[in-house]
């Protein structure tokens, strides 16, 4: 028996997927949500942060907005499964490239134009497909993973109560290379999710899996399967890296 899910990042896309007969969402790309004009400034502040405290403060501005996005998706899909992938692209993709926009960002954040140019240069990836992205962002900045997990779980709890249904969110860790990376990120997810579920006094299940999109991960998939509850195959990156 074959089940077909759709890619959807917004409630509108999710609705259209259901109209076409999709049986759930197989991939929600959270980075698409950060490009909204009401979130991109806070996200850029997070990238430019020089301390963990500054990063956490910027992420705290984003969390309720991201939670609202997830609530919209869960409400639209009801009891159909929704698979949400954690932040994937390299961070330089979120910073402006045009000089006027860089100057605007500098003025808004209190940083110099030179500082922002330096940060863009530091973050620039020679090959973005194989660079500092995916689960390695969560390894470098666990607070990003904590914020996204928190937004997903809080949204699922709220919508479960509101619609009186059982939602079991699926959280997908992108671009793992081998099992140690997955374990590291999964520990952040489960610690955050279990705490929130306990605080809410609910009995909600959730699932943590990964995207297999690096040839090495495909070869080590038996080991990765010990920690992952599901696999998704990222054929795009898998094809590019294999060739």
């Amino acid at each position: 028996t074959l089940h077909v899910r759709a890619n959807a990042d917004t409630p509108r896309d999710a609705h259209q997927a259901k109209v076409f007969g999709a049986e759930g969402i197989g991939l929600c790309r959270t980075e698409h949500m950060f490009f909204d004009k009401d979130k991109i400034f806070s996200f850029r502040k997070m990238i430019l942060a020089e301390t963990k405290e500054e990063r956490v403060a910027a992420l705290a501005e984003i969390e309720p907005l991201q939670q609202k996005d997830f609530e919209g998706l869960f409400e639209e899909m009801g009891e159909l499964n929704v698979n949400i992938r954690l932040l994937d692209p390299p961070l330089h993709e979120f910073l402006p490239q045009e000089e006027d926009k860089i100057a605007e960002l500098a003025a808004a954040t209190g940083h110099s134009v030179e500082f922002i140019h330096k940060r863009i240069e530091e973050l620039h990836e020679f090959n973005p497909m194989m660079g500092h992205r995916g689960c390695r962002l969560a390894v470098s900045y666990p607070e990003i993973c904590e914020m996204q997990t928190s937004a997903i779980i809080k949204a699922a709890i709220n919508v479960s109560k509101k619609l009186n249904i059982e939602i079991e969110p699926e959280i997908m860790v992108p671009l793992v290379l081998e099992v140690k990376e997955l374990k590291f990120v999964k520990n952040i997810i489960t610690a955050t999710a279990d705490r929130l579920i306990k605080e809410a006094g609910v009995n909600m299940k959730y699932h943590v899996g990964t995207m297999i999109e690096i040839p090495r991960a495909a070869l080590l998939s038996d080991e990765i399967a010990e920690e992952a509850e599901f696999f998704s195959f990222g054929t795009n990156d898998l094809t590019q890296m294999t060739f």
Side-chain angles (χ1 to χ4, degrees):
T1 303
L2 185 69
H3 298 280
V4 180
R5 296 196 197 181
N7 287 4
D9 312 317
T10 65
R12 184 171 172 269
D13 290 349
H15 176 77
Q16 193 59 53
K18 280 201 310 188
V19 170
F20 286 141
E23 297 167 78
I25 294 174
L27 173 62
C28 167
R29 294 159 291 200
T30 53
E31 56 271 10
H32 287 196
M33 298 169 167
F34 291 121
F35 286 108
D36 288 356
K37 62 181 186 299
D38 60 342
K39 301 188 198 77
I40 192 70
F41 179 64
S42 297
F43 200 74
R44 285 171 173 168
K45 275 202 296 190
M46 188 277 296
I47 295 170
L48 296 173
E50 294 181 87
T51 64
K52 183 182 175 180
E53 289 70 29
E54 284 179 22
R55 247 192 323 278
V56 169
L59 287 166
E61 293 176 14
I62 300 166
E63 187 182 321
L65 301 171
Q66 182 126 91
Q67 182 182 327
K68 193 177 167 203
D69 285 335
F70 295 141
E71 285 179 4
L73 272 181
F74 288 135
E75 281 186 33
E76 183 62 52
M77 298 310 286
E79 289 186 299
L80 294 174
N81 294 72
V82 177
N83 190 319
I84 298 169
R85 184 178 70 186
L86 300 178
L87 188 67
D88 184 33
L91 294 179
H92 79 270
E93 290 189 8
F94 296 94
L95 293 176
Q97 303 302 314
E98 306 85 2
E99 284 303 322
D100 59 328
K101 293 275 190 282
I102 290 170
E104 209 176 281
L105 182 61
T109 57
H111 290 294
S112 67
V113 169
E114 292 72 27
F115 173 85
I116 292 176
H117 271 296
K118 184 168 176 283
R119 194 79 181 108
I120 291 168
E121 203 178 310
E122 283 170 358
L123 290 169
H124 183 75
E125 297 286 351
F126 176 72
N127 184 342
M129 280 296 148
M130 298 172 74
H132 185 219
R133 57 173 283 220
C135 64
R136 278 167 287 291
L137 292 175
V139 172
S140 298
Y141 309 113
E143 48 276 17
I144 297 178
C145 179
E146 285 170 18
M147 181 279 285
Q148 289 201 291
T149 302
S150 179
I152 293 166
I153 297 298
K154 285 179 184 174
I157 290 170
N158 285 357
V159 176
S160 291
K161 287 178 177 174
K162 183 178 175 182
L163 302 183
N164 196 26
I165 58 174
E166 286 187 19
I167 293 173
E168 294 188 10
E170 298 171 1
I171 301 174
M172 184 154 64
V173 180
L175 216 81
V176 298
L177 193 71
E178 51 136 89
V179 70
K180 287 198 288 289
E181 283 185 325
L182 179 59
K183 277 179 83 165
F184 183 92
V185 180
K186 185 183 170 186
N187 285 343
I188 300 168
I189 294 168
T190 54
T192 306
D194 292 349
R195 174 178 55 79
L196 291 169
I197 290 166
K198 189 179 176 187
E199 283 172 6
V202 295
N203 185 26
M204 194 181 76
K205 291 179 186 163
Y206 62 93
H207 306 281
V208 181
T210 189
M211 198 173 236
I212 303 292
E213 48 196 326
I214 296 178
R216 181 177 173 82
L219 295 171
L220 297 174
S221 57
D222 57 336
E223 294 175 19
I224 295 170
E226 296 285 332
E227 290 292 329
E229 289 183 75
F230 60 83
F231 278 176
S232 174
F233 288 89
T235 52
N236 181 352
D237 290 9
L238 201 45
T239 304
Q240 290 185 58
M241 289 196 198
T242 303
F243 277 89

